[in-house]
Amino acid sequence: GEWYLDRAAGTLYVWPPRPIDNQHEIVAPIVGTLISIEPGTSYLTLRGFTLESCTGEAVTLHGTFHCTIAGCTIRGVGDYDHGAVSVVEGRKNRIIGNDISDVGSHGISLSGGDRYSLTPAENSAENNYIHHIGVLYKQGVGIAIDGVGNRAAHNLIHDGPRMGIMFSGNNLLIEYN
């Protein structure tokens, strides 16, 4: 169950906790965020992808509008500071029907909306199966919601080190999780 990375030689030495057979593999991610959707992007849907093995987020939506991440399998992603899917600002983005597991920090992070004017972002996380999160960052949660007018509904969340949903903000809707 131990490993050593010889950076100069570019060699990873692994002493597995049990013998490795043809049904198991060792993966060492070297890429940060897999998909970064830039500000101003709108009406983009990513559906049915398997996203795995990165040290950053699998998907980051920053300042996007009406974008959807749906029906994806997201696993083995994130480090101490990064989770599976992050929505920062923007409006009416949806994270729906994904299977998210083995995540370094949070499963889904939703933020957006203006707390001074109480303008809602209407970003949402719905029908996601989120499990085995916070495997590195022991404050990791299934869904972290911040801002105004965001929603988490009908998500199944289990096997995390902390709470299922953490929230801060105004006019948030959290139901049937």
Side-chain angles (χ1 to χ4, degrees):
E2 297 184 22
W3 60 272
Y4 170 73
L5 176 61
D6 183 341
R7 292 184 191 277
T11 303
L12 174 66
Y13 297 93
V14 177
W15 185 349
R18 59 191 156 279
I20 297 174
D21 55 29
N22 292 337
Q23 297 175 339
H24 296 90
E25 64 183 355
I26 295 174
V27 177
I30 58 170
V31 68
T33 298
L34 293 177
I35 300 172
S36 179
I37 302 172
E38 299 299 316
T41 303
S42 58
Y43 297 98
L44 173 72
T45 298
L46 297 177
R47 184 183 314 274
F49 286 91
T50 296
L51 304 169
E52 60 187 345
S53 299
C54 67
T55 59
E57 279 93 7
V59 182
T60 299
L61 295 96
H62 188 267
T64 60
F65 303 90
H66 297 273
C67 290
T68 302
I69 309 301
C72 294
T73 299
I74 303 171
R75 61 183 175 222
V77 299
D79 59 11
Y80 187 84
D81 294 319
H82 299 96
V85 179
S86 177
V87 178
V88 181
E89 300 174 0
R91 295 197 63 227
K92 296 189 178 185
N93 297 294
R94 297 177 61 198
I95 312 303
I96 184 167
N98 300 287
D99 184 345
I100 298 171
S101 65
D102 300 307
V103 180
S105 186
H106 303 321
I108 298 172
S109 295
L110 290 179
S111 70
D114 184 0
R115 292 189 74 181
Y116 296 105
S117 66
L118 294 180
T119 303
E122 300 178 68
N123 294 318
S124 65
E126 306 165 41
N127 283 337
N128 296 288
Y129 179 36
I130 305 167
H131 55 102
H132 297 90
I133 39 89
V135 297
L136 298 174
Y137 178 57
K138 297 307 177 191
Q139 302 296 316
V141 299
I143 301 174
I145 304 176
D146 184 35
V148 180
N150 296 311
R151 178 175 185 243
H154 301 279
N155 298 287
L156 176 58
I157 304 167
H158 66 82
D159 284 291
R162 202 163 180 221
M163 60 198 82
I165 299 175
M166 176 175 67
F167 61 93
S168 171
N170 301 87
N171 304 331
L172 304 172
L173 182 57
I174 301 169
E175 61 183 356
Y176 304 110
N177 294 288

